[in-house]
Amino acid sequence: MSLLLLLPALLPQLLPAEDHWIALKSGPFEVLSKVGDRPAREKLMLLEQFRETLRVITGKSEMRLVWPVRVIIVKNAAEIPSAKKPFTLGRDARMLAMSEAEALSRDDLKELARLMLYENTNRLPSHIEQGIIELVSTVQIDGPRITLGAPVPPAERSPGWALLHLVTVNPEYAGRSSVMISNLEQTDDFEAACHNAFEKSAAQIQQQADAYLKAGNFGTTFISGRALSMTRDFKPVQLLGDEPRIAWADLLLATGHTAEATTAYKALKGPEASEGLALMELDDQKDNEAKSALEDAIEASSKSARAWLELGRLKSDADQLKQASALNPRWAEPYFQLAELNPAIDKTNLEQRAALLKKAAALAPRDIEYWQALAKTYIAAKDFPEAQKAWAGAEHAASSDEEREHIHQVRLQLEEKRFDSDAAEHKRAADEREADLQRVKNQSEAAIHASEDAARKKMNPNGAAPPKPEAWYEASTDAGPSVQGTFQRMDCISQGARLVIQTPDGKTVQLLMSDPSQVTTGGGGDQTLVCGPQKNARQVLVHYTAKPDAKLHTAGVATAIEFH
């Protein structure tokens, strides 16, 4: 076998123990160096001021990352394993290697800008997002002094780049790009964004950007960077033991050199080695082998959120998934996996599942899968207003017009389903009210019939027919007040009976007949007293004792009834 073929496998061994490795950290960045602290400080300063540039453009309070960015600096570029793209996620960080004389390339800066935008903003219109990435790819950083706007090569001067260059470099719009971007994070309404940010229409801004691009006169502007000192703020620490070898193995993993990474990890001890091997086993779909390696890592007190999540996913273990979220609170995936464990079989489970998915979508608003899962959960819970909000989030997260249109159609279908559901709910409620009314009516009628029966028994205790009325009647001269009119009905109540008389002037008088046996009846015609409405409109003159009863709404107690 040739030496060239053996070289990749020997890369970990090219890091002798006597090499002096240091590490510097600031924010989400870690720089590891075996060529002294000055190159490391310079690279770290560039990374921090680049992050500040994006913060100023977007108006964010801080630009954060889900995973740290780890840069390894070596003496010669020949030592560095090839990589398809920079900042690929390795075991627990996004990795990049460079020589001490090398600067971050435009491709490096573009990928870093893409990551920061992806993890700190909602999805923006593609030409705006690409314009930002192209704009910052030529940034020039000298300590805290940042120069923005150096033109990209003519072939790369896209309309999006020209627009962003115009609104960030041109003094007329200085400092207002963040307003436009903030508006576009909430909605794709470019018209409203331009009006709010620049007090101009979208057509006016676009026309000016087109003319700006055609003219080809692109200036620069200065941004005041963070007040950082390379000596005061960046404190180097020495890497000890296997730490440099672990970092190099992680770099091999991130750059896709799996055979070399396997060799490197197997030569190491501790949880990091087990984590790296497990991740490669998972890539090869060897779940059992990965599970065993992950268990070894956990038993060795692993601090890797990825290790805890992958083992929790393989074992459907909620506690391990919760530990993953605790180790990396900005990572959305543990919350999504916890939601996937929830069976969502009843209202409580649906609410718990929705809360987990809502957290995941908030942490990763560009992940359409989280929004769709949240929307479907709300639909299962019949919470259509919240489902509409989730579908709106999915529509905004869509990465293409076709995907966005598909989500839009789903929203329209959901709206129809919501209307149907509302109509069905209204009908159900109306039917329920009608059933309640009928039940009350039946109960009332039963109570009335019972009262009527009780009154009849009281009036005729022996069951004998009521005596026939006498043909003569003479009212007592001291019978007290009286009322004359039409006998409408007799309400049989627990206190006896209540007579309802309508007077010639249309008024209604109610009188209590507490003991029918004590009421004198006379006159001519039908003198039968029957509970309920009277079938024949009989004229009566009723004498009574004035004893008003507010509860029964009666004016007094009847003493004599004269039928006419």
Side-chain angles (χ1 to χ4, degrees):
M1 184 178 294
S2 70
L3 179 60
L4 290 176
L5 292 176
L6 286 172
L7 184 59
L10 294 175
L11 281 173
Q13 283 69 40
L14 293 178
L15 300 171
E18 59 269 19
D19 278 346
H20 181 67
W21 282 85
I22 61 167
L24 295 94
K25 296 183 181 181
S26 180
F29 303 116
E30 304 173 9
V31 179
L32 282 56
S33 171
K34 72 168 184 176
V35 292
D37 64 326
R38 184 171 181 79
R41 292 178 192 275
E42 291 173 349
K43 301 293 191 293
L44 189 54
M45 175 65 80
L46 188 148
L47 289 167
E48 277 291 24
Q49 300 298 5
F50 183 78
R51 180 165 74 119
E52 177 67 6
T53 302
L54 277 170
R55 189 199 69 79
V56 171
I57 292 172
T58 60
K60 298 294 179 180
S61 59
E62 184 178 4
M63 301 296 282
R64 300 171 178 169
L65 289 170
V66 176
W67 301 103
V69 166
R70 187 173 296 143
V71 178
I72 298 177
I73 305 176
V74 295
K75 183 70 175 176
N76 300 308
E79 301 177 52
I80 302 172
S82 60
K84 292 182 179 179
K85 72 173 186 176
F87 302 114
T88 302
L89 182 62
R91 180 181 55 85
D92 66 345
R94 296 189 177 278
M95 306 296 296
L96 178 72
M98 56 195 309
S99 68
E100 64 174 325
E102 190 179 359
L104 286 169
S105 69
R106 286 190 60 223
D107 286 340
D108 294 338
L109 295 178
K110 284 182 180 181
E111 180 60 17
L112 186 56
R114 188 193 68 79
L115 286 171
M116 287 189 170
L117 289 175
Y118 190 94
E119 296 183 4
N120 288 274
T121 66
N122 293 336
R123 190 176 295 281
L124 299 166
S126 59
H127 72 290
I128 298 293
E129 192 157 310
Q130 191 58 35
I132 297 173
I133 293 171
E134 292 168 351
L135 177 68
V136 298
S137 71
T138 60
V139 68
Q140 298 167 354
I141 296 171
D142 183 11
R145 184 179 176 86
I146 302 170
T147 303
L148 182 67
V152 297
E156 299 180 31
R157 295 173 188 175
S158 65
W161 172 82
L163 173 63
L164 265 296
H165 197 286
L166 171 69
V167 300
T168 55
V169 175
N170 190 321
E172 181 183 359
Y173 303 121
R176 288 191 274 173
S177 64
S178 60
V179 178
M180 177 188 73
I181 291 170
S182 178
N183 275 257
L184 291 174
E185 280 193 85
Q186 309 307 318
T187 173
D188 290 331
D189 191 345
F190 189 56
E191 182 69 39
C194 289
H195 177 77
N196 293 334
F198 314 118
E199 298 181 353
K200 291 185 178 181
S201 69
Q204 288 175 312
I205 291 294
Q206 194 60 61
Q207 184 178 12
Q208 188 175 2
D210 292 342
Y212 187 66
L213 177 60
K214 186 176 181 180
N217 297 319
F218 308 111
T220 59
T221 189
F222 295 106
I223 296 176
S224 180
R226 292 182 60 194
L228 294 172
S229 166
M230 288 197 295
T231 55
R232 183 187 66 243
D233 296 307
F234 302 154
K235 302 296 184 183
V237 296
Q238 186 171 354
L239 295 184
L240 303 175
D242 285 337
E243 289 179 333
R245 296 183 184 276
I246 292 170
W248 198 262
D250 292 344
L251 177 64
L252 292 170
L253 172 64
T255 53
H257 297 269
T258 54
E260 295 86 347
T262 300
T263 301
Y265 283 127
K266 285 184 176 180
L268 298 169
K269 303 293 183 182
E272 296 85 359
S274 297
E275 293 160 11
L277 291 170
L279 292 173
M280 287 186 288
E281 298 286 11
L282 287 172
D283 285 341
D284 290 338
Q285 299 182 338
K286 296 178 181 179
D287 288 356
N288 290 334
E289 293 86 344
K291 180 179 175 183
S292 178
L294 289 168
E295 287 173 339
D296 290 342
I298 299 305
E299 289 176 6
S301 302
S302 170
K303 301 300 182 185
S304 168
R306 289 189 75 190
W308 283 92
L309 178 130
E310 294 298 351
L311 186 59
R313 184 181 59 81
L314 290 172
K315 298 176 68 174
S316 298
D317 189 315
D319 289 337
Q320 292 174 345
L321 294 173
K322 289 176 182 177
Q323 179 63 15
S325 68
L327 288 169
N328 190 345
R330 288 186 54 78
W331 193 18
E333 187 65 14
Y335 296 99
F336 179 74
Q337 292 297 333
L338 279 166
E340 290 295 284
L341 291 183
N342 193 313
I345 56 177
D346 56 27
K347 185 175 185 293
T348 300
N349 284 337
L350 285 168
E351 289 176 350
Q352 293 172 348
R353 176 178 167 83
L356 290 167
L357 291 170
K358 192 171 183 179
K359 178 69 173 179
L363 287 172
R366 292 177 179 236
D367 195 316
I368 194 170
E369 183 180 7
Y370 296 162
W371 287 111
Q372 288 177 322
L374 178 60
K376 291 174 183 178
T377 299
Y378 279 131
I379 291 173
K382 299 190 183 303
D383 190 343
F384 294 108
E386 289 300 320
Q388 278 286 12
K389 293 178 184 178
W391 280 123
E395 186 174 342
H396 196 69
S399 59
S400 66
D401 291 340
E402 293 77 14
E403 190 175 40
R404 191 172 297 107
E405 179 59 26
H406 171 70
I407 297 298
H408 184 67
Q409 292 303 317
V410 171
R411 288 184 67 189
L412 294 179
Q413 293 171 9
L414 175 63
E415 192 65 23
E416 292 180 6
K417 187 174 181 179
R418 177 184 176 183
F419 289 148
D420 293 343
S421 177
D422 287 347
E425 177 62 22
H426 290 156
K427 185 179 184 304
R428 184 198 62 76
D431 292 345
E432 216 173 69
R433 288 193 298 271
E434 182 63 28
D436 285 342
L437 289 172
Q438 187 61 45
R439 177 177 53 79
V440 171
K441 181 179 179 181
N442 292 341
Q443 291 175 347
S444 299
E445 289 179 350
I448 291 171
H449 293 324
S451 298
E452 290 175 348
D453 291 342
R456 289 192 187 96
K457 290 178 180 179
K458 190 172 183 180
M459 294 170 64
N460 303 288
N462 298 323
K468 293 182 179 181
E470 299 293 335
W472 58 272
Y473 174 77
E474 182 177 350
S476 171
T477 57
D478 58 351
S482 63
V483 59
Q484 184 171 0
T486 303
F487 181 22
Q488 287 192 322
R489 71 174 189 275
M490 183 172 75
D491 300 327
C492 294
I493 57 179
S494 59
Q495 294 88 341
R498 181 170 53 203
L499 305 176
V500 180
I501 313 299
Q502 185 177 36
T503 62
D505 60 0
K507 295 181 179 179
T508 298
V509 178
Q510 298 186 123
L511 299 170
L512 177 65
M513 189 167 60
S514 55
D515 187 355
S517 63
Q518 299 300 315
V519 177
T520 304
T521 58
D526 182 8
Q527 299 179 17
T528 305
L529 296 174
V530 180
C531 293
Q534 305 301 298
K535 295 182 179 179
N536 299 319
R538 292 173 288 172
Q539 297 297 312
V540 295
L541 174 66
V542 183
H543 298 273
Y544 63 94
T545 302
K547 291 182 179 180
D549 189 321
K551 185 176 181 181
L552 296 175
H553 304 292
T554 53
V557 179
T559 56
I561 304 174
E562 179 181 348
F563 292 88
H564 296 287

